[in-house]
Amino acid sequence: MRLNIAALAAAALISTTPAFAQDRAGWPDSITIGTASQGGTYFVYGNGLAGFIGEELGVNASGEVTGGPVQNATLVQLGDHAIGLVTMGPAYEAWTGQSELAPGLEHRDLRALFPMYQTPFQVITLSSSGLTSVTELGGRRVSVGPAGGTPGTYWPRFLNTLGVNATVSNAGASDAAGQLTDGLIDAFAFAAGVPISAFSQLSAEADVRMFGFNEAELAQILAAHPEVSPLTIPAGTYAGHDYDQATVAMWNFAVSNASMPDSLAYEIVKLVMENPDRMMQIHASASETIMDNVLNNTFLPFHPGAVRYYEEHGITIPEELRG
């Protein structure tokens, strides 16, 4: 009996070893994840995700500072980055060949992996400025984040929709926060998963005011920009700020190139979806990185590895979203 058991165990080991090797066939030795500027949520989320992938999947993964979703979409399309963090507005423009970075290039090799969180649009100012609404930014100096990022792309459009003529500049989140405290700008208009680390730091160090859109502004923005949806940032999201902020938001997804091995895409999605506590340790915004939010993507095909994982867990991916 002992010999039989030993023989069975040896046979099982032999039979599983090739399967394991096959599962990792084509896996790269290292991968890069496109994030955004330091001080923003993408930077924290992406670098934390890279560390988690490295620990659990044995792939050397690293986050890289970029200009944000517009650039990330193109870097993934061209195969320069394995994974990119994108908001779905810029991703749709890239998919349809309307990217500001690569106009005319349809990014048809992008594939969705998993939902991240919603990106609310927020403004922060020093309380001494007296500013309390987006409309009041007319004639003021406003940083809107890095060129090519979600805020850098959409805040100028929102200002134009509202007829607000501000002096707009671009800077990374940390730099813009410093410019605000130094009096070089009057407001910092940004978009990232909340709490935005740069906003949290500013609120801890200075007397600041944060706001989204008032009722009249919100109606105009929603009518003109169907790619966003209404959202309320609840009181208490930032220490010392006991008021709700009505605003708009866009969904974020992690994306890969279609050429990523199916088994790697599957394992990355499995890792993220089955470890919510660890993802929340990376950033609080990952509370929305859950199965319930998978179908908030309405146009970008999912990677086949992601499709396999979701359908194993009861989520039917529509035929038009099967990559």
Side-chain angles (χ1 to χ4, degrees):
M1 178 67 70
R2 289 179 182 174
L3 289 175
N4 288 341
I5 292 174
L8 289 170
L13 180 61
I14 292 170
S15 66
T16 57
T17 300
F20 179 78
Q22 183 180 12
D23 285 346
R24 296 177 68 95
W27 283 30
D29 294 329
S30 63
I31 63 174
T32 302
I33 300 174
T35 65
S37 61
Q38 296 184 28
T41 303
Y42 269 21
F43 180 79
V44 178
Y45 192 112
N47 279 280
L49 174 63
F52 193 22
I53 289 172
E55 292 168 19
E56 298 297 327
L57 300 185
V59 176
N60 183 22
S62 61
E64 183 168 310
V65 172
T66 69
V70 174
Q71 185 178 10
N72 291 344
T74 298
L75 288 169
V76 171
Q77 169 67 27
L78 298 178
D80 293 333
H81 285 179
I83 297 173
L85 310 185
V86 301
T87 33
M88 298 310 271
Y92 181 75
E93 293 186 347
W95 179 254
T96 57
Q98 301 175 64
S99 168
E100 294 181 358
L101 183 62
L105 174 64
E106 294 185 348
H107 291 45
R108 293 306 167 111
D109 292 324
L110 296 182
R111 295 294 182 269
L113 291 175
F114 59 85
M116 294 166 57
Y117 54 83
Q118 295 181 82
T119 287
F121 289 80
Q122 254 184 310
V123 180
I124 188 168
T125 68
L126 299 180
S127 295
S128 58
S129 71
L131 296 168
T132 60
S133 72
V134 175
T135 304
E136 293 172 357
L137 296 178
R140 300 298 190 109
R141 301 163 299 172
V142 183
S143 177
V144 294
T150 299
T153 299
Y154 282 89
W155 268 114
R157 298 180 188 181
F158 294 161
L159 293 174
N160 183 63
T161 294
L162 297 174
V164 175
N165 185 19
T167 300
V168 172
S169 60
N170 297 106
S174 295
D175 288 341
Q179 291 171 14
L180 185 65
T181 56
D182 291 342
L184 300 177
I185 57 174
D186 300 300
F188 175 23
F190 202 51
V194 294
I196 301 170
S197 59
F199 281 27
S200 296
Q201 183 174 346
L202 280 167
S203 64
E205 297 174 351
D207 184 10
V208 298
R209 176 79 184 178
M210 302 180 203
F211 51 86
F213 296 100
N214 62 32
E215 187 174 352
E217 294 166 348
L218 191 60
Q220 288 180 263
I221 294 299
L222 291 173
H225 300 277
E227 64 269 44
V228 299
S229 55
L231 178 76
T232 297
I233 300 171
T237 299
Y238 295 93
H241 291 77
D242 56 354
Y243 50 89
D244 291 343
Q245 300 173 55
T247 188
V248 297
M250 253 182 219
W251 271 99
N252 299 271
F253 270 71
V255 303
S256 71
N257 191 281
S259 64
M260 175 179 281
D262 290 3
S263 59
L264 177 56
Y266 178 93
E267 292 297 337
I268 289 173
V269 172
K270 178 181 179 181
L271 184 69
V272 170
M273 288 293 150
E274 296 185 3
N275 292 280
D277 291 344
R278 174 59 187 274
M279 293 302 296
M280 284 279 288
Q281 289 174 9
I282 292 171
H283 197 280
S285 65
S287 62
E288 294 185 304
T289 304
I290 57 176
M291 299 285 277
D292 288 349
N293 291 325
V294 168
L295 295 181
N296 282 310
N297 163 35
T298 60
F299 70 89
L300 189 63
F302 283 94
H303 193 288
V307 171
R308 179 163 71 91
Y309 179 82
Y310 294 133
E311 297 202 330
E312 285 177 356
H313 292 79
I315 296 178
T316 300
I317 303 298
E319 190 61 35
E320 65 272 17
L321 296 182
R322 300 172 68 90

